[in-house]
Every structure is written in structure tokens, then in C-alpha cells.
Coordinates of all heavy atoms in Angstrom, one line a residue:
M1 N 88.7 23.2 111.8 CA 88.8 24.4 112.5 C 89.4 25.5 111.6 O 89.0 26.7 111.6 CB 89.8 24.3 113.7 CG 89.2 23.4 114.8 SD 87.8 24.2 115.5 CE 87.5 23.2 116.8
I2 N 90.4 25.2 110.7 CA 90.9 26.1 109.8 C 89.9 26.5 108.8 O 89.8 27.7 108.4 CB 92.2 25.5 109.1 CG1 93.3 25.4 110.1 CG2 92.6 26.4 107.9 CD1 94.5 24.6 109.7
G3 N 89.1 25.5 108.3 CA 88.0 25.9 107.4 C 87.0 26.8 107.9 O 86.6 27.8 107.3
A4 N 86.6 26.6 109.2 CA 85.7 27.6 109.9 C 86.3 28.9 110.0 O 85.6 30.0 109.8 CB 85.3 27.0 111.2
L5 N 87.6 29.0 110.3 CA 88.3 30.3 110.5 C 88.3 31.0 109.1 O 88.0 32.2 109.1 CB 89.7 30.0 111.0 CG 90.5 31.3 111.3 CD1 89.8 32.1 112.5 CD2 91.9 30.9 111.8
V6 N 88.5 30.3 108.1 CA 88.5 30.9 106.7 C 87.2 31.5 106.4 O 87.0 32.6 105.9 CB 88.9 29.9 105.6 CG1 88.6 30.4 104.3 CG2 90.4 29.5 105.8
A7 N 86.1 30.7 106.7 CA 84.8 31.2 106.4 C 84.4 32.5 107.3 O 83.9 33.4 106.7 CB 83.8 30.1 106.7
V8 N 84.7 32.4 108.5 CA 84.4 33.6 109.4 C 85.2 34.8 109.0 O 84.7 35.9 108.9 CB 84.6 33.2 110.9 CG1 84.6 34.5 111.8 CG2 83.6 32.2 111.3
I9 N 86.5 34.6 108.7 CA 87.3 35.8 108.2 C 86.8 36.3 106.9 O 86.7 37.6 106.7 CB 88.8 35.4 108.1 CG1 89.4 35.2 109.5 CG2 89.6 36.4 107.3 CD1 90.8 34.6 109.5
A10 N 86.3 35.5 106.0 CA 85.8 35.9 104.7 C 84.5 36.8 105.0 O 84.3 37.8 104.4 CB 85.4 34.8 103.8
G11 N 83.7 36.4 106.0 CA 82.5 37.1 106.3 C 82.9 38.5 106.9 O 82.2 39.5 106.6
I12 N 83.9 38.5 107.8 CA 84.3 39.8 108.4 C 84.8 40.7 107.3 O 84.5 41.9 107.3 CB 85.3 39.5 109.5 CG1 84.6 38.8 110.7 CG2 86.0 40.8 109.9 CD1 85.6 38.3 111.7
V13 N 85.7 40.2 106.4 CA 86.2 41.0 105.3 C 85.1 41.5 104.4 O 85.1 42.7 104.1 CB 87.2 40.2 104.5 CG1 87.6 40.9 103.2 CG2 88.5 39.9 105.3
K14 N 84.1 40.7 104.1 CA 83.0 41.2 103.3 C 82.2 42.3 104.0 O 81.9 43.3 103.3 CB 82.1 40.0 103.0 CG 81.1 40.3 101.9 CD 79.8 40.7 102.5 CE 78.7 40.9 101.4 NZ 77.7 41.9 101.8
E15 N 81.9 42.2 105.3 CA 81.2 43.2 106.0 C 82.1 44.5 106.1 O 81.5 45.6 106.0 CB 80.8 42.7 107.4 CG 79.6 41.8 107.3 CD 78.4 42.3 106.5 OE1 78.0 43.4 106.8 OE2 78.0 41.6 105.6
T16 N 83.4 44.3 106.3 CA 84.2 45.5 106.4 C 84.3 46.2 105.0 O 84.3 47.4 105.0 CB 85.7 45.1 106.8 OG1 85.6 44.4 108.1 CG2 86.6 46.3 107.0
W17 N 84.3 45.4 104.0 CA 84.3 46.0 102.6 C 83.0 46.8 102.4 O 83.1 47.9 101.9 CB 84.4 44.9 101.6 CG 84.5 45.3 100.2 CD1 83.5 45.7 99.4 CD2 85.7 45.5 99.4 NE1 83.9 46.1 98.1 CE2 85.3 46.0 98.1 CE3 87.1 45.3 99.7 CZ2 86.2 46.3 97.1 CZ3 88.0 45.6 98.7 CH2 87.5 46.1 97.4
D18 N 81.9 46.2 102.8 CA 80.6 46.9 102.7 C 80.6 48.2 103.4 O 80.2 49.3 103.0 CB 79.5 46.0 103.2 CG 79.1 44.9 102.2 OD1 79.6 44.9 101.1 OD2 78.4 44.0 102.6
F19 N 81.2 48.2 104.7 CA 81.2 49.4 105.5 C 82.1 50.5 104.9 O 81.7 51.6 104.8 CB 81.8 49.0 106.9 CG 81.8 50.2 107.8 CD1 80.7 50.7 108.4 CD2 83.0 50.8 108.1 CE1 80.7 51.8 109.3 CE2 83.1 51.8 109.0 CZ 81.9 52.3 109.6
C20 N 83.2 50.1 104.3 CA 84.1 51.0 103.6 C 83.5 51.6 102.4 O 83.8 52.6 101.9 CB 85.5 50.4 103.3 SG 86.4 50.1 104.8
D21 N 82.5 50.8 101.8 CA 81.8 51.2 100.6 C 80.6 52.1 100.9 O 79.8 52.4 100.0 CB 81.4 50.0 99.8 CG 81.5 50.1 98.3 OD1 82.2 51.1 97.9 OD2 80.8 49.4 97.6
G22 N 80.4 52.4 102.2 CA 79.3 53.3 102.5 C 78.1 52.6 103.0 O 77.1 53.2 103.4
E23 N 78.1 51.3 103.1 CA 76.9 50.5 103.6 C 77.1 50.3 105.1 O 78.1 50.6 105.7 CB 76.8 49.2 102.9 CG 76.5 49.3 101.4 CD 76.4 48.0 100.7 OE1 76.0 47.0 101.4 OE2 76.8 47.9 99.5
Q24 N 76.1 49.7 105.7 CA 76.1 49.5 107.2 C 76.8 48.2 107.5 O 76.6 47.2 106.7 CB 74.7 49.5 107.7 CG 74.6 49.3 109.2 CD 73.2 49.4 109.7 OE1 72.2 49.7 109.0 NE2 73.0 49.1 111.0
F25 N 77.6 48.1 108.5 CA 78.2 46.9 109.0 C 77.1 46.1 109.7 O 76.6 46.5 110.7 CB 79.3 47.2 109.9 CG 80.2 46.0 110.3 CD1 81.3 45.8 109.5 CD2 79.9 45.2 111.3 CE1 82.2 44.7 109.8 CE2 80.7 44.1 111.6 CZ 81.9 43.9 110.9
D26 N 76.7 45.0 109.1 CA 75.5 44.2 109.6 C 76.0 43.0 110.5 O 76.5 42.0 110.0 CB 74.7 43.7 108.4 CG 73.4 43.2 108.9 OD1 73.1 43.1 110.1 OD2 72.6 42.9 107.9
M27 N 75.7 43.1 111.8 CA 76.1 42.1 112.7 C 75.3 40.8 112.5 O 75.7 39.7 112.7 CB 75.9 42.5 114.2 CG 77.0 43.6 114.6 SD 78.7 43.0 114.4 CE 78.7 41.8 115.7
K28 N 74.1 41.0 111.9 CA 73.2 39.8 111.6 C 73.8 39.0 110.5 O 73.7 37.8 110.5 CB 71.8 40.2 111.3 CG 71.1 40.7 112.5 CD 69.7 41.1 112.2 CE 69.0 41.7 113.4 NZ 67.6 42.2 113.1
D29 N 74.5 39.6 109.6 CA 75.2 38.9 108.5 C 76.3 38.1 109.1 O 76.6 37.0 108.7 CB 75.8 39.9 107.5 CG 74.7 40.4 106.5 OD1 73.6 39.9 106.5 OD2 75.0 41.3 105.7
L30 N 77.0 38.7 110.1 CA 78.1 37.9 110.7 C 77.6 36.7 111.5 O 78.2 35.7 111.6 CB 78.9 38.8 111.7 CG 79.8 39.9 111.0 CD1 80.5 40.7 112.0 CD2 80.8 39.2 110.0
L31 N 76.4 36.9 112.1 CA 75.8 35.8 112.8 C 75.4 34.7 111.9 O 75.6 33.5 112.1 CB 74.5 36.3 113.6 CG 73.8 35.2 114.4 CD1 74.7 34.6 115.5 CD2 72.6 35.9 115.1
A32 N 74.9 35.0 110.7 CA 74.6 34.0 109.6 C 75.9 33.4 109.2 O 75.9 32.2 108.9 CB 73.9 34.7 108.5
D33 N 77.0 34.1 109.1 CA 78.3 33.6 108.7 C 78.7 32.6 109.7 O 79.2 31.5 109.4 CB 79.3 34.7 108.5 CG 79.1 35.6 107.4 OD1 78.4 35.2 106.4 OD2 79.6 36.7 107.4
G34 N 78.7 32.9 111.0 CA 79.1 32.0 112.1 C 78.2 30.8 112.1 O 78.7 29.7 112.3
T35 N 76.9 30.9 111.9 CA 76.0 29.8 111.9 C 76.4 28.9 110.7 O 76.4 27.6 110.9 CB 74.6 30.2 111.9 OG1 74.3 31.2 112.9 CG2 73.6 29.1 112.0
G36 N 76.6 29.5 109.6 CA 77.0 28.7 108.4 C 78.3 28.0 108.6 O 78.5 26.8 108.2
A37 N 79.3 28.6 109.3 CA 80.5 28.0 109.5 C 80.4 26.8 110.5 O 81.0 25.8 110.2 CB 81.5 29.0 110.1
F38 N 79.5 27.0 111.5 CA 79.3 25.8 112.4 C 78.6 24.7 111.7 O 79.0 23.5 111.8 CB 78.5 26.3 113.6 CG 78.2 25.3 114.6 CD1 79.3 24.9 115.4 CD2 77.0 24.7 114.8 CE1 79.1 23.9 116.4 CE2 76.8 23.7 115.7 CZ 77.9 23.3 116.5
A39 N 77.6 25.0 110.9 CA 77.0 23.9 110.1 C 77.9 23.3 109.1 O 77.9 22.0 108.9 CB 75.8 24.5 109.3
G40 N 78.8 24.1 108.5 CA 79.8 23.5 107.6 C 80.8 22.6 108.4 O 81.2 21.6 107.8
M41 N 81.1 22.9 109.6 CA 82.0 22.1 110.4 C 81.4 20.7 110.6 O 82.0 19.7 110.5 CB 82.3 22.8 111.7 CG 83.2 24.0 111.6 SD 83.3 24.9 113.2 CE 84.3 23.7 114.2

């Protein structure tokens, strides 16, 4: 559970970083992150 939380938080931080850098916040990237976290679990 902690591992999955780390992965999802890393994905959110990456998307937030992209958004602050002028790119679009991509919800599909977060969905891929969540799916990867579940598969990793």
C-alpha cells in the first residue's frame, strides 16, 4: 500500500511539475500511473 502511494504521488508530482512548466495536466497520464501502481501491487 505504501509502495502504491509512493507511485501515485510521484505521478501527481510529475504532472503538477509539467503543468507549472507550461504543459497540460494530463489526466490520462494519471490513469496510466494508477493502473501501473495497481499492476505493481
Side-chain angles (χ1 to χ4, degrees):
M1 292 295 189
I2 292 170
L5 187 62
V6 167
V8 170
I9 289 173
I12 292 170
V13 167
K14 193 264 183 206
E15 286 307 308
T16 304
W17 185 278
D18 286 348
F19 181 74
C20 291
D21 214 22
E23 297 179 30
Q24 184 176 352
F25 192 92
D26 192 354
M27 291 300 291
K28 290 181 182 177
D29 284 349
L30 290 180
L31 183 58
D33 292 335
T35 307
F38 184 72
M41 290 171 71

